[in-house]
Amino acid sequence: MVSRPHGGRLVDRVARGSSRQRLIEEATEMPKIEISESLAADVANIAHGVYSPLEGFMLREDYECVLEFMRLSNDVPWTIPITLDVEPDEVRDVVPGDEVVLIYRKVPIAVMRVEEIYPWDRKEYAMKVFKTVDPSHPGVARTMKRKSMLVGGQVLLINDPPEPFERYRLWPKETRVLFEARGWRTIAAFQTRNVPHLGHEYVQKAALTFTDGLFINPLVGWKKPGDYRDEVIVEAYRALIEHYYPAESVVFSVLRMEMRYAGPREAVHHAIVRKNFGATHFIVGRDHAGVGRFYGPYEAWEIFKEFPDLGITPLFVREAFYCRKCGGMVNEKICPHGNEHRVRISGTKLREMIKRSEKPPEYMMRPEVAEVILRHPNPFVE
Amino acid sequence: MRMSDKVQISIARELYEKAKRFVEEQGGFSSVEELVEFLLREVLSEEESSYTMSKEDEEKVKERLRALGYI
């Protein structure tokens, strides 16, 4: 049976029919707040239940509880604050109780009932969420550029933000129906921001061996320079699934959500989000959502001990490598051989090969996947 | 959560002792209070789980899934 939504209820804050029409008309008279691509994605994720039980951007009490205790004020686990930042000028004439319209690329996408406007401490946020204030951390750098006030309140979606990958975008209510239709009782979700190499394939197939279905759910949206472009990730996965996965055991869809590089906290956030899609298990990789050397390689595994009430089972699958003596992909738990026989698949090494237009060896990456990536003139975010 | 948001409840001592032993032996919970809150939340959230899709909505979802080749 698919997972129960986080907090017990799948949120649906999408205006439909005549009430949507009325809101669109009323919105022309409301104060406007222009929002970024990442915030527009957050609005849609709230409205379509990806962030259940959140119904809007966080109020101060939830924000502080999440920062301090990694839980909402009602004690439900939640590790990354979901907030709307503004400059005081943008809400000069707005008071709690007012409705404002959120605008993305000149299109009104949601109406928000403002419940609270409050200041926040970006450094404190960085220290709690990223465990550092080092500006070389991409999440910290991005946080320090955010605006000085937060606005909390429920949202009601009136227009979905544009999605270039609409063909591959599913919302939780859709994946839940899909998993049920396929008769899956156990679903392992895989989060990624990378193109797949053989290590990823090994981890996914190890999880699929013990579950009914595999849900591959890459993030699209803002990523740091040097990461793979969204279209490259999508095409690479399509190639891998087409050639190497049993179609009836895999669901592939994209999730538009900003990568925060918050390591352990973000690992839990990723698990909660996939629980809302109906997944029962979540694969937590080595240095999950990490960047550089800011987090220990298995720190993201440790944090799950603090959430016995998470409602989704983390699967801690060790990093896979190729062992010449074993003659295949293995991990340190099942391979007795020494380092001299092991070939580690380094993402950095793969990136360097691709930058030089070199095809990586087949024990690192499937040739069909490599071809798709190499076809792109520049597969990396600049 | 603020302390003022909490209330006291009474349970049988025997049950409390059993719960205390469970917490000490099994781990995962730091106190009996945490265990009780967890269990209550589990039971109650099942009750509150109000998301049910109408047949008509479910059919619409299935239509889209079919059109996209998922089913």
Side-chain angles (χ1 to χ4, degrees):
Chain A
M1 191 190 287
V2 299
S3 273
R4 281 211 318 270
H6 198 54
R9 193 173 65 86
L10 192 66
V11 167
D12 182 0
R13 302 286 303 164
V14 181
R16 297 179 178 89
S18 56
S19 65
R20 172 176 174 267
Q21 212 45 52
R22 182 178 48 78
L23 274 175
I24 289 174
E25 282 158 26
E26 287 174 7
T28 57
E29 305 295 320
M30 292 176 193
K32 295 174 178 54
I33 298 179
E34 305 267 352
I35 59 172
S36 65
E37 181 195 339
S38 290
L39 285 171
D42 279 345
V43 172
N45 286 338
I46 292 167
H48 288 282
V50 176
Y51 294 163
S52 298
L54 303 190
E55 297 190 336
F57 287 102
M58 283 183 181
L59 305 181
R60 190 201 294 250
E61 193 183 13
D62 274 338
Y63 169 76
E64 287 174 353
C65 282
V66 169
L67 269 197
E68 199 60 41
F69 307 113
M70 298 194 286
R71 286 174 182 270
L72 298 172
S73 56
N74 64 2
D75 212 26
V76 169
W78 199 277
T79 51
I80 302 279
I82 302 297
T83 53
L84 169 59
D85 56 309
V86 294
E87 289 302 355
D89 266 9
E90 293 178 275
V91 287
R92 200 178 35 233
D93 301 321
V94 177
V95 294
D98 284 355
E99 285 185 323
V100 297
V101 58
L102 306 181
I103 305 278
Y104 172 59
R105 288 191 187 165
K106 299 185 178 158
V107 176
I109 63 158
V111 168
M112 178 180 188
R113 180 174 290 277
V114 174
E115 288 174 59
E116 210 173 3
I117 303 170
Y118 56 101
W120 63 310
D121 182 337
R122 284 166 282 199
K123 263 195 172 167
E124 184 199 18
Y125 177 103
M127 204 56 223
K128 293 269 163 64
V129 173
F130 303 111
K131 299 171 93 172
T132 177
V133 289
D134 185 335
S136 68
H137 184 296
V140 173
R142 212 158 150 81
T143 298
M144 299 316 282
K145 283 186 199 149
R146 290 184 69 192
K147 299 169 180 175
S148 62
M149 304 291 286
L150 298 179
V151 185
Q154 284 187 328
V155 295
L156 205 46
L157 191 79
I158 48 179
N159 286 304
D160 266 311
E163 176 51 71
F165 301 105
E166 187 61 34
R167 159 75 186 79
Y168 299 113
R169 197 256 302 274
L170 296 178
W171 294 117
K173 71 172 183 181
E174 293 169 325
T175 52
R176 288 170 169 274
V177 169
L178 176 55
F179 297 157
E180 298 271 8
R182 289 196 178 186
W184 293 356
R185 294 180 65 81
T186 49
I187 301 112
F190 185 79
Q191 137 77 34
T192 185
R193 61 181 168 97
N194 267 312
V195 296
H197 57 55
L198 256 77
H200 300 126
E201 185 179 332
Y202 169 87
V203 165
Q204 291 167 6
K205 287 184 172 172
L208 181 55
T209 305
F210 298 101
T211 52
D212 297 332
L214 176 67
F215 176 44
I216 300 175
N217 195 213
L219 292 193
V220 292
W222 183 84
K223 292 186 197 75
K224 67 181 174 54
D227 278 4
Y228 290 94
R229 286 181 191 276
D230 293 339
E231 59 273 28
V232 178
I233 298 169
V234 170
E235 287 173 31
Y237 260 103
R238 294 307 305 164
L240 180 70
I241 293 167
E242 187 191 333
H243 294 282
Y244 297 97
Y245 284 64
E248 67 283 2
S249 301
V250 183
V251 165
F252 173 84
S253 81
V254 299
L255 170 61
R256 186 158 293 274
M257 187 169 84
E258 174 178 324
M259 248 326 277
R260 289 162 167 96
Y261 306 94
R265 272 198 188 233
E266 195 166 11
V268 176
H269 181 64
H270 286 163
I272 291 170
V273 162
R274 275 39 179 246
K275 177 185 172 189
N276 282 328
F277 279 97
T280 53
H281 295 73
F282 180 69
I283 300 167
V284 189
R286 182 184 177 278
D287 196 22
H288 189 110
V291 61
R293 293 179 181 275
F294 285 100
Y295 309 103
Y298 294 105
E299 216 177 316
W301 292 12
E302 292 297 311
I303 195 172
F304 280 86
K305 285 184 189 156
E306 295 180 46
F307 301 98
D309 53 342
L310 198 61
I312 181 166
T313 307
L315 293 175
F316 303 126
V317 187
R318 284 161 198 266
E319 189 187 17
F321 49 81
Y322 183 81
C323 171
R324 290 195 187 93
K325 198 136 191 194
C326 293
M329 294 300 295
V330 287
N331 64 53
E332 60 186 1
K333 200 176 174 191
I334 57 172
C335 169
H337 306 117
N339 268 335
E340 68 275 20
H341 301 289
R342 296 176 175 182
V343 183
R344 292 205 149 69
I345 305 178
S346 144
T348 313
K349 218 181 261 177
L350 275 174
R351 262 188 283 267
E352 281 165 9
M353 286 180 185
I354 287 163
K355 270 184 194 155
R356 292 194 299 265
S357 299
E358 258 173 51
K359 201 167 180 178
E362 289 193 21
Y363 61 81
M364 285 192 177
M365 184 174 268
R366 298 288 191 186
E368 294 85 348
V369 173
E371 277 161 26
V372 159
I373 300 168
L374 289 168
R375 221 181 285 148
H376 281 266
N378 182 9
F380 303 105
V381 175
E382 283 171 345
Chain B
M1 193 175 286
R2 293 187 302 266
M3 285 311 285
S4 57
D5 290 336
K6 298 232 170 191
V7 294
Q8 279 193 326
I9 55 166
S10 303
I11 58 169
R13 179 163 297 279
E14 189 193 344
L15 189 59
Y16 173 80
E17 295 298 342
K18 234 177 172 175
K20 201 170 155 208
R21 269 204 307 281
F22 178 88
V23 167
E24 285 162 3
E25 287 166 11
Q26 304 291 319
F29 297 94
S30 60
S31 63
V32 172
E33 187 178 317
E34 200 177 296
L35 171 67
V36 170
E37 280 200 351
F38 169 72
L39 292 172
L40 281 174
R41 190 164 290 117
E42 280 291 288
V43 173
L44 297 175
S45 66
E46 202 144 2
E47 285 293 300
E48 288 163 5
S49 180
S50 62
Y51 183 80
T52 46
M53 198 182 282
S54 69
K55 278 277 156 213
E56 197 187 336
D57 283 348
E58 192 177 324
E59 207 34 60
K60 270 188 204 158
V61 167
K62 282 185 174 165
E63 254 171 51
R64 178 166 191 262
L65 293 172
R66 266 185 224 112
L68 294 175
Y70 282 103
I71 50 176

Coordinates of all heavy atoms in Angstrom, one line a residue, chain A residues 74-143:
Chain A
N74 N 3.6 21.4 15.3 CA 2.8 20.3 15.8 C 3.5 19.0 15.9 O 3.0 18.0 16.0 CB 1.5 20.1 14.9 CG 1.9 19.7 13.5 OD1 3.1 19.6 13.2 ND2 0.9 19.6 12.6
D75 N 4.9 19.2 15.9 CA 5.8 18.0 16.1 C 6.0 17.1 14.9 O 6.7 16.1 15.0 CB 5.4 17.2 17.3 CG 6.6 16.6 18.1 OD1 7.7 17.2 17.9 OD2 6.4 15.6 18.7
V76 N 5.4 17.4 13.8 CA 5.6 16.6 12.6 C 7.0 16.8 12.0 O 7.3 18.0 11.9 CB 4.5 16.9 11.5 CG1 4.8 16.2 10.2 CG2 3.1 16.4 12.0
P77 N 7.7 15.8 11.7 CA 9.1 16.0 11.2 C 9.1 16.9 9.9 O 8.3 16.7 9.0 CB 9.6 14.6 10.8 CG 8.8 13.7 11.7 CD 7.4 14.4 11.8
W78 N 10.0 17.9 9.9 CA 10.2 18.8 8.8 C 11.6 19.5 9.0 O 11.8 20.0 10.0 CB 9.1 19.8 8.7 CG 9.1 20.4 7.3 CD1 9.9 21.4 6.8 CD2 8.3 19.9 6.2 NE1 9.6 21.6 5.4 CE2 8.6 20.7 5.0 CE3 7.3 18.9 6.0 CZ2 8.1 20.5 3.8 CZ3 6.7 18.7 4.8 CH2 7.1 19.5 3.7
T79 N 12.4 19.4 8.0 CA 13.8 19.8 8.2 C 14.3 21.1 7.4 O 15.3 21.7 7.8 CB 14.8 18.7 7.8 OG1 14.4 18.2 6.5 CG2 14.6 17.5 8.9
I80 N 13.6 21.4 6.4 CA 14.0 22.6 5.6 C 12.8 23.6 5.6 O 11.7 23.3 5.1 CB 14.3 22.2 4.1 CG1 15.4 21.1 4.0 CG2 14.6 23.5 3.3 CD1 16.8 21.6 4.1
P81 N 13.1 24.8 6.1 CA 12.0 25.8 6.1 C 11.6 26.2 4.7 O 12.4 26.3 3.8 CB 12.6 27.1 6.8 CG 13.8 26.5 7.5 CD 14.3 25.4 6.8
I82 N 10.3 26.3 4.5 CA 9.7 26.7 3.2 C 9.2 28.1 3.4 O 8.2 28.3 4.0 CB 8.6 25.7 2.7 CG1 9.1 24.2 2.7 CG2 8.0 26.1 1.4 CD1 10.2 24.0 1.6
T83 N 9.9 29.0 2.8 CA 9.6 30.4 3.1 C 9.6 31.3 1.9 O 10.2 31.0 0.9 CB 10.7 31.0 4.1 OG1 12.0 30.8 3.5 CG2 10.7 30.3 5.4
L84 N 8.8 32.4 2.0 CA 8.8 33.4 1.0 C 9.4 34.6 1.5 O 9.0 35.2 2.5 CB 7.3 33.7 0.6 CG 7.0 34.9 -0.3 CD1 7.7 34.7 -1.6 CD2 5.5 35.0 -0.5
D85 N 10.5 35.0 0.8 CA 11.3 36.2 1.2 C 10.9 37.4 0.4 O 10.7 37.3 -0.8 CB 12.8 36.0 1.2 CG 13.3 35.5 -0.2 OD1 12.7 34.6 -0.8 OD2 14.2 36.1 -0.7
V86 N 10.8 38.6 1.1 CA 10.5 39.8 0.4 C 11.3 41.0 1.0 O 11.8 40.8 2.1 CB 9.0 40.2 0.5 CG1 8.1 39.2 -0.1 CG2 8.6 40.3 2.0
E87 N 11.4 42.1 0.2 CA 12.0 43.3 0.8 C 10.8 44.1 1.4 O 9.7 44.0 1.0 CB 12.6 44.1 -0.3 CG 13.9 43.6 -0.8 CD 15.0 43.3 0.2 OE1 14.8 43.6 1.4 OE2 16.1 42.7 -0.2
P88 N 11.1 44.8 2.5 CA 10.0 45.6 3.2 C 9.2 46.4 2.2 O 8.0 46.5 2.3 CB 10.7 46.4 4.2 CG 12.0 45.7 4.4 CD 12.4 45.0 3.2
D89 N 9.8 47.0 1.2 CA 9.1 47.8 0.2 C 8.0 47.1 -0.5 O 7.0 47.7 -0.9 CB 10.2 48.2 -0.9 CG 10.7 49.6 -0.5 OD1 10.4 50.1 0.6 OD2 11.4 50.2 -1.4
E90 N 8.3 45.8 -0.7 CA 7.3 45.0 -1.5 C 6.0 44.7 -0.7 O 5.0 44.4 -1.4 CB 7.9 43.6 -1.9 CG 9.0 43.7 -2.9 CD 9.6 42.3 -3.2 OE1 10.5 41.9 -2.4 OE2 9.2 41.7 -4.1
V91 N 6.1 44.9 0.6 CA 4.9 44.6 1.4 C 4.5 45.8 2.2 O 3.9 45.7 3.3 CB 5.1 43.3 2.3 CG1 5.0 42.1 1.4 CG2 6.4 43.4 3.1
R92 N 4.9 47.0 1.7 CA 4.7 48.2 2.5 C 3.3 48.4 2.9 O 3.0 48.8 4.0 CB 5.2 49.4 1.6 CG 5.6 50.7 2.4 CD 6.1 51.8 1.5 NE 5.5 51.7 0.2 CZ 6.1 51.7 -0.9 NH1 7.5 51.7 -0.9 NH2 5.5 51.7 -2.1
D93 N 2.4 48.2 2.0 CA 1.0 48.4 2.3 C 0.2 47.2 2.6 O -1.1 47.2 2.6 CB 0.3 49.1 1.0 CG 1.0 50.4 0.7 OD1 1.4 51.1 1.6 OD2 1.2 50.6 -0.5
V94 N 0.9 46.1 2.9 CA 0.2 44.8 3.2 C 0.2 44.6 4.7 O 1.2 44.8 5.4 CB 0.9 43.6 2.5 CG1 0.3 42.3 2.8 CG2 1.0 43.8 1.0
V95 N -1.0 44.2 5.2 CA -1.1 43.8 6.7 C -1.6 42.4 6.8 O -2.3 41.9 5.8 CB -1.9 44.8 7.5 CG1 -1.3 46.2 7.5 CG2 -3.4 44.8 6.9
P96 N -1.4 41.7 7.9 CA -1.9 40.4 8.1 C -3.5 40.4 7.8 O -4.2 41.3 8.3 CB -1.6 40.0 9.5 CG -0.3 40.8 9.8 CD -0.5 42.1 9.0
G97 N -3.9 39.4 7.1 CA -5.3 39.3 6.7 C -5.6 39.7 5.3 O -6.6 39.3 4.7
D98 N -4.6 40.5 4.7 CA -4.7 40.9 3.3 C -4.5 39.7 2.3 O -3.7 38.8 2.7 CB -3.7 42.0 2.9 CG -4.1 43.3 3.5 OD1 -5.2 43.4 4.0 OD2 -3.3 44.2 3.4
E99 N -5.0 39.8 1.2 CA -4.7 38.8 0.1 C -3.7 39.5 -0.9 O -4.0 40.7 -1.2 CB -5.9 38.3 -0.6 CG -6.7 37.3 0.2 CD -7.9 36.7 -0.5 OE1 -8.5 37.5 -1.3 OE2 -8.2 35.6 -0.3
V100 N -2.7 38.8 -1.3 CA -1.8 39.3 -2.3 C -1.7 38.3 -3.4 O -2.0 37.1 -3.2 CB -0.3 39.5 -1.7 CG1 -0.4 40.6 -0.6 CG2 0.3 38.2 -1.2
V101 N -1.3 38.8 -4.6 CA -1.2 37.8 -5.7 C 0.3 37.6 -6.0 O 1.1 38.6 -6.0 CB -1.9 38.3 -7.0 CG1 -1.5 39.7 -7.4 CG2 -1.8 37.3 -8.1
L102 N 0.7 36.4 -6.2 CA 2.1 36.0 -6.4 C 2.3 35.9 -7.9 O 1.6 35.2 -8.6 CB 2.5 34.7 -5.8 CG 2.3 34.6 -4.3 CD1 2.7 33.3 -3.7 CD2 3.0 35.8 -3.5
I103 N 3.2 36.7 -8.5 CA 3.4 36.8 -9.9 C 4.8 36.2 -10.3 O 5.8 36.5 -9.7 CB 3.5 38.3 -10.3 CG1 2.3 39.1 -9.8 CG2 3.7 38.5 -11.8 CD1 1.0 39.0 -10.7
Y104 N 4.7 35.3 -11.3 CA 5.9 34.8 -11.8 C 6.0 35.0 -13.4 O 5.0 34.6 -14.1 CB 6.0 33.3 -11.5 CG 7.2 32.6 -12.2 CD1 8.5 33.0 -12.0 CD2 7.0 31.5 -13.1 CE1 9.6 32.4 -12.6 CE2 8.1 30.9 -13.7 CZ 9.3 31.3 -13.4 OH 10.4 30.7 -14.1
R105 N 7.0 35.6 -13.8 CA 7.1 36.0 -15.3 C 5.8 36.6 -15.8 O 5.3 36.2 -16.8 CB 7.5 34.8 -16.1 CG 8.9 34.3 -15.9 CD 9.2 33.2 -16.9 NE 10.4 32.6 -16.7 CZ 10.8 31.5 -17.3 NH1 10.0 30.9 -18.2 NH2 12.0 31.0 -17.1
K106 N 5.4 37.6 -15.0 CA 4.2 38.5 -15.4 C 2.9 37.7 -15.3 O 1.9 38.3 -15.7 CB 4.4 39.1 -16.8 CG 5.6 40.0 -16.9 CD 5.7 40.7 -18.2 CE 6.9 41.6 -18.1 NZ 7.4 41.9 -19.4
V107 N 2.9 36.4 -14.9 CA 1.6 35.7 -14.8 C 1.3 35.5 -13.4 O 2.1 35.1 -12.5 CB 1.8 34.3 -15.5 CG1 0.5 33.5 -15.3 CG2 2.2 34.5 -17.0
P108 N 0.0 35.8 -13.0 CA -0.4 35.5 -11.6 C -0.5 34.0 -11.4 O -1.2 33.3 -12.1 CB -1.8 36.2 -11.5 CG -2.3 36.2 -12.9 CD -1.1 36.3 -13.8
I109 N 0.2 33.5 -10.4 CA 0.2 32.0 -10.3 C -0.6 31.6 -9.0 O -1.1 30.5 -8.9 CB 1.6 31.4 -10.3 CG1 2.4 31.8 -9.2 CG2 2.2 31.6 -11.7 CD1 3.5 30.8 -8.9
A110 N -0.6 32.5 -8.0 CA -1.3 32.1 -6.8 C -1.8 33.3 -6.0 O -1.2 34.4 -6.1 CB -0.4 31.2 -5.9
V111 N -2.8 33.1 -5.2 CA -3.3 34.1 -4.3 C -2.8 33.6 -2.9 O -3.0 32.4 -2.5 CB -4.8 34.3 -4.3 CG1 -5.3 35.1 -3.1 CG2 -5.2 34.9 -5.6
M112 N -2.3 34.6 -2.1 CA -1.8 34.2 -0.8 C -2.5 35.1 0.3 O -2.6 36.3 0.1 CB -0.3 34.5 -0.7 CG 0.3 34.2 0.6 SD 2.1 34.5 0.5 CE 2.6 33.9 2.1
R113 N -3.0 34.4 1.3 CA -3.6 35.2 2.4 C -2.5 35.4 3.4 O -2.0 34.4 4.0 CB -4.8 34.4 3.1 CG -5.4 35.2 4.2 CD -6.6 34.5 4.7 NE -7.7 34.6 3.8 CZ -8.5 35.6 3.7 NH1 -8.4 36.7 4.4 NH2 -9.5 35.6 2.8
V114 N -2.1 36.6 3.5 CA -0.9 36.9 4.4 C -1.4 36.8 5.9 O -2.3 37.4 6.3 CB -0.4 38.4 4.1 CG1 0.7 38.8 5.1 CG2 0.1 38.5 2.7
E115 N -0.6 36.0 6.6 CA -0.9 35.8 8.0 C 0.1 36.5 8.9 O -0.2 36.9 10.0 CB -1.1 34.3 8.4 CG -2.3 33.7 7.8 CD -2.4 32.2 8.0 OE1 -2.4 31.8 9.2 OE2 -2.4 31.5 7.0
E116 N 1.3 36.6 8.4 CA 2.4 37.1 9.2 C 3.5 37.6 8.3 O 3.8 37.0 7.3 CB 2.9 36.0 10.1 CG 3.5 36.4 11.4 CD 3.9 35.2 12.3 OE1 3.7 34.0 11.8 OE2 4.3 35.5 13.4
I117 N 4.1 38.7 8.7 CA 5.3 39.2 8.0 C 6.4 39.4 9.1 O 6.1 40.1 10.1 CB 5.1 40.6 7.3 CG1 3.9 40.5 6.3 CG2 6.3 41.1 6.6 CD1 3.4 41.8 5.8
Y118 N 7.5 38.7 9.0 CA 8.5 38.7 10.1 C 9.9 38.7 9.6 O 10.2 38.2 8.5 CB 8.2 37.5 11.0 CG 8.2 36.2 10.3 CD1 9.4 35.3 10.4 CD2 7.1 35.7 9.6 CE1 9.4 34.1 9.8 CE2 7.1 34.4 9.0 CZ 8.3 33.6 9.1 OH 8.3 32.4 8.5
P119 N 10.8 39.3 10.4 CA 12.2 39.3 10.0 C 12.9 37.9 10.2 O 12.3 37.1 11.0 CB 12.8 40.3 10.9 CG 12.0 40.3 12.1 CD 10.6 39.9 11.7
W120 N 14.0 37.7 9.6 CA 14.7 36.4 9.8 C 16.2 36.7 9.8 O 16.6 37.8 9.2 CB 14.3 35.4 8.8 CG 14.6 35.6 7.4 CD1 14.3 36.8 6.7 CD2 15.3 34.8 6.4 NE1 14.8 36.6 5.4 CE2 15.4 35.4 5.2 CE3 15.9 33.5 6.5 CZ2 16.0 34.9 4.1 CZ3 16.5 33.0 5.4 CH2 16.5 33.6 4.2
D121 N 17.0 35.8 10.4 CA 18.4 36.0 10.4 C 19.0 35.0 9.5 O 19.1 33.8 9.7 CB 18.8 35.7 11.9 CG 20.3 35.9 12.1 OD1 21.1 35.9 11.1 OD2 20.8 36.2 13.2
R122 N 19.5 35.5 8.3 CA 20.0 34.6 7.3 C 21.2 33.8 7.8 O 21.4 32.7 7.4 CB 20.4 35.4 6.0 CG 19.1 35.8 5.3 CD 19.4 36.9 4.3 NE 19.5 38.2 4.9 CZ 19.3 39.3 4.2 NH1 19.1 39.4 2.9 NH2 19.5 40.5 4.9
K123 N 22.1 34.5 8.6 CA 23.2 33.7 9.1 C 22.8 32.6 10.0 O 23.4 31.5 10.0 CB 24.1 34.7 9.9 CG 25.3 35.2 9.1 CD 26.3 35.8 9.9 CE 27.5 36.1 9.0 NZ 28.5 36.9 9.7
E124 N 21.8 32.8 10.9 CA 21.3 31.8 11.8 C 20.7 30.6 10.9 O 21.0 29.5 11.2 CB 20.2 32.3 12.7 CG 19.8 31.3 13.7 CD 18.4 31.7 14.3 OE1 17.7 32.5 13.8 OE2 18.1 31.1 15.4
Y125 N 20.0 31.0 9.9 CA 19.4 30.0 9.0 C 20.5 29.2 8.4 O 20.4 27.9 8.4 CB 18.6 30.8 7.9 CG 18.0 29.9 6.8 CD1 16.6 29.6 6.9 CD2 18.7 29.3 5.8 CE1 16.0 28.8 5.9 CE2 18.2 28.5 4.8 CZ 16.8 28.2 4.9 OH 16.3 27.4 3.9
A126 N 21.5 29.8 7.9 CA 22.6 29.1 7.2 C 23.3 28.1 8.2 O 23.5 27.0 7.9 CB 23.6 30.1 6.6
M127 N 23.5 28.6 9.4 CA 24.2 27.8 10.4 C 23.4 26.6 10.8 O 23.9 25.5 10.9 CB 24.5 28.7 11.7 CG 25.6 28.2 12.5 SD 27.1 28.1 11.6 CE 27.8 26.6 12.3
K128 N 22.1 26.8 10.9 CA 21.2 25.7 11.3 C 21.0 24.7 10.1 O 21.0 23.5 10.3 CB 19.8 26.2 11.8 CG 19.9 27.0 13.1 CD 19.7 26.1 14.3 CE 20.2 26.7 15.6 NZ 19.5 27.9 16.0
V129 N 20.7 25.2 9.0 CA 20.3 24.4 7.9 C 21.5 23.8 7.2 O 21.6 22.6 6.9 CB 19.4 25.1 6.8 CG1 19.2 24.3 5.6 CG2 18.1 25.5 7.5
F130 N 22.6 24.6 7.0 CA 23.7 24.1 6.2 C 24.9 23.7 7.1 O 25.9 23.2 6.7 CB 24.2 25.2 5.2 CG 23.1 25.6 4.3 CD1 22.6 26.9 4.3 CD2 22.7 24.7 3.3 CE1 21.6 27.2 3.4 CE2 21.7 25.1 2.4 CZ 21.1 26.4 2.5
K131 N 24.8 24.0 8.4 CA 25.8 23.8 9.4 C 27.1 24.6 9.1 O 28.2 24.2 9.5 CB 26.1 22.3 9.5 CG 24.9 21.5 10.0 CD 25.2 20.0 9.9 CE 25.7 19.5 11.2 NZ 25.7 18.0 11.2
T132 N 27.0 25.7 8.4 CA 28.1 26.5 8.1 C 27.6 27.9 7.6 O 26.5 28.0 7.1 CB 29.0 25.9 7.0 OG1 30.1 26.8 6.6 CG2 28.2 25.6 5.7
V133 N 28.5 28.9 7.7 CA 28.2 30.2 7.1 C 29.2 30.5 6.0 O 29.3 31.6 5.6 CB 28.1 31.3 8.1 CG1 26.9 31.2 9.0 CG2 29.3 31.3 9.0
D134 N 30.0 29.5 5.7 CA 31.0 29.6 4.6 C 30.4 30.0 3.3 O 29.6 29.2 2.8 CB 31.8 28.3 4.5 CG 33.0 28.4 3.6 OD1 33.0 29.2 2.7 OD2 33.9 27.6 3.8
P135 N 30.8 31.2 2.8 CA 30.1 31.6 1.5 C 30.5 30.8 0.3 O 29.8 30.9 -0.7 CB 30.6 33.1 1.3 CG 31.8 33.2 2.2 CD 31.7 32.2 3.3
S136 N 31.4 29.9 0.4 CA 31.7 29.0 -0.7 C 30.7 27.8 -0.8 O 30.7 27.1 -1.8 CB 33.2 28.5 -0.6 OG 33.3 27.6 0.4
H137 N 29.9 27.7 0.2 CA 28.8 26.7 0.2 C 27.7 27.3 -0.7 O 27.2 28.4 -0.4 CB 28.3 26.4 1.6 CG 27.3 25.3 1.7 ND1 26.1 25.4 1.1 CD2 27.3 24.1 2.2 CE1 25.4 24.3 1.3 NE2 26.1 23.5 2.0
P138 N 27.3 26.6 -1.8 CA 26.3 27.2 -2.7 C 25.0 27.6 -2.0 O 24.4 28.6 -2.4 CB 26.2 26.2 -3.8 CG 26.7 24.9 -3.3 CD 27.7 25.3 -2.2
G139 N 24.6 26.8 -1.1 CA 23.3 27.0 -0.4 C 23.5 28.3 0.5 O 22.5 29.1 0.6
V140 N 24.6 28.4 1.2 CA 24.8 29.6 2.0 C 24.9 30.8 1.1 O 24.2 31.9 1.5 CB 26.2 29.4 2.8 CG1 26.5 30.7 3.6 CG2 26.1 28.2 3.8
A141 N 25.6 30.8 0.1 CA 25.8 31.9 -0.8 C 24.4 32.4 -1.3 O 24.1 33.6 -1.3 CB 26.6 31.6 -2.0
R142 N 23.5 31.4 -1.7 CA 22.2 31.8 -2.1 C 21.3 32.3 -1.0 O 20.6 33.3 -1.2 CB 21.6 30.5 -2.7 CG 20.6 30.7 -3.8 CD 20.5 29.4 -4.6 NE 19.2 29.4 -5.2 CZ 18.8 30.0 -6.4 NH1 19.7 30.7 -7.0 NH2 17.6 29.9 -6.8
T143 N 21.5 31.8 0.2 CA 20.7 32.2 1.3 C 21.0 33.7 1.7 O 20.1 34.5 1.9 CB 21.0 31.4 2.6 OG1 20.5 30.0 2.3 CG2 20.2 31.9 3.8

